[in-house]
Amino acid sequence: MIDKKLYDMPKGTDMAWCPGCGNFPILNIVKMALSELDRAPQDVVICSGIGQAAKTPHYLRVNYFNGLHGRALPPAIAIKNVNPKLTVIAESGDGDTYGEGGNHFMHTIRRNPDITNIVHDNMIYGLTKGQASPMSEKGLKNPIQPDGVIVDQFNPLAVALSLDATFVARAFTGDILQTKEIIKAAILHKGYALIDVLQPCVVFNKQNTYQWFKEKGYYVDEAHDKTDKMKALELAFDLDRLALGIIYQREGKPSYETLVREGNEPMFERVLDTAALNTLIKSYK
Ligand SMILES: Cc1ncc(C[n+]2csc(CCOP(=O)(O)OP(=O)(O)O)c2C)c(N)n1
Ligand code: SF4
């Protein structure tokens, strides 16, 4: 097992998160999962967009790509295509993933790349001080909508299931061991894996608190058939109680990078045909 301390940033690294933020346990859980799965830091890449959650890879000693708002997934797909030997994780907030990155979210699911998508879902825009995100509940009062949000929440689990995602899960940052096991299963899953992690923003979201998530959340039991898509959709549509755990998982669908690469050899291992490249460059002169 890789020593978990290897993922730690040097002591004194500046930390932007507020004390008590739900991002801290997720950071720790990801380190635990990578350590237990024996993923060496140099073989791990985390991609993120913009936001508080999107700062997660700044606090982990692995390779990372921090892109524009909503753009965590495209570089993650590209990196996996070039070197499928890497463990690739896209990790960002609910606003970044489902709002600004909504288009990428949908089309990544269709492609089924072998990457893990960890979404820190605090049901709000944390970094920009508490505006509504696509996950904000109807009625939630915020600086932009002082009378409350007037539209329904986005439903990432239902959308993912509808687009034939092969691994769909919900977790709660307050439950360290369960969340760690879900993340490990997602990393081991061959194909796109979504984990929506409920994560309280203790400063700007006074409605969806640790207590609120604890009361709403319950784990699917052992008898839950993870291959039953209709049951999974039923769970996804139930917003009165929030089902936690692996809601849906199916093996066997080819992952994007295996479809893209001829002969299955990773792009970074291909021998460069310099003569063909020069001919191509000359043809544009
Ligand atoms: C194109 C663009 N629009 C808006 C912003 C401003 N902005 C930065 S972070 C953010 C919200 C992030 O929210 P979320 O992804 O939920 O993450 P959190 O901060 O809550 O972890 C917004 C709107 C931006 N940087 N770029
Ligand atoms: S503003 Fe909210 S999401 Fe951002 S660090 Fe503070 S508690 Fe966490």
Side-chain angles (χ1 to χ4, degrees), residues 11-252:
K11 275 206 162 55
T13 299
D14 196 24
M15 173 61 80
W17 294 338
C18 315
C21 175
N23 285 328
F24 285 104
I26 305 179
L27 176 66
N28 187 34
I29 292 165
V30 169
K31 287 181 187 176
M32 285 162 78
L34 289 172
S35 145
E36 288 180 24
L37 291 176
D38 243 342
R39 306 292 161 123
Q42 65 269 27
D43 297 332
V44 177
V45 187
I46 303 197
C47 297
S48 67
I50 300 294
Q52 296 284 45
K55 289 177 188 155
T56 304
H58 301 190
Y59 310 136
L60 262 162
R61 211 169 185 172
V62 297
N63 306 292
Y64 80 87
F65 183 97
N66 196 177
L68 296 172
H69 207 3
R71 303 293 182 270
L73 288 165
I77 299 175
I79 290 163
K80 190 71 186 180
N81 273 350
V82 172
N83 188 352
K85 294 180 178 172
L86 297 169
T87 298
V88 181
I89 300 173
E91 190 165 351
S92 237
D94 54 309
D96 190 68
T97 310
Y98 308 137
E100 288 77 11
N103 182 36
H104 297 302
F105 175 62
M106 288 192 300
H107 295 288
T108 298
I109 297 169
R110 287 178 47 239
R111 292 186 168 95
N112 194 37
D114 184 16
I115 63 172
T116 304
N117 194 179
I118 301 173
V119 184
H120 297 217
D121 185 358
N122 55 14
M123 300 186 172
I124 208 147
Y125 282 169
L127 183 69
T128 45
K129 304 194 185 318
Q131 302 92 341
S133 84
M135 294 308 293
S136 295
E137 289 188 294
K138 205 172 185 173
L140 182 95
K141 295 194 166 105
N142 65 85
I144 305 294
Q145 291 128 308
D147 296 327
V149 172
I150 55 172
V151 293
D152 288 331
Q153 277 179 301
F154 185 65
N155 190 326
L157 304 192
V159 170
L161 287 163
S162 307
L163 291 170
D164 200 27
T166 50
F167 186 107
V168 178
R170 190 192 275 128
F172 171 46
T173 186
D175 298 334
I176 304 230
L177 294 180
Q178 292 93 325
T179 304
K180 182 191 73 184
E181 291 309 319
I182 296 168
I183 289 179
K184 276 166 64 184
I187 293 173
L188 291 173
H189 177 74
K190 187 86 188 130
Y192 172 81
L194 170 69
I195 315 145
D196 185 80
V197 188
L198 304 173
Q199 168 252 323
C201 167
V202 293
V203 173
F204 294 112
N205 190 340
K206 302 293 184 193
Q207 188 164 304
N208 308 109
T209 59
Y210 272 100
Q211 195 54 34
W212 187 91
F213 285 124
K214 241 184 153 51
E215 282 163 16
K216 280 257 183 185
Y218 73 99
Y219 284 91
V220 291
D221 59 28
E222 291 280 301
H224 173 65
D225 177 4
K226 287 186 286 194
T227 63
D228 184 341
K229 193 182 267 192
M230 287 305 135
K231 179 67 196 170
L233 271 169
E234 202 181 294
L235 294 174
F237 277 117
D238 183 2
L239 299 177
D240 294 329
R241 295 173 74 218
L242 299 176
L244 299 167
I246 303 170
I247 310 290
Y248 183 74
Q249 185 172 14
R250 177 165 61 85
E251 308 288 346

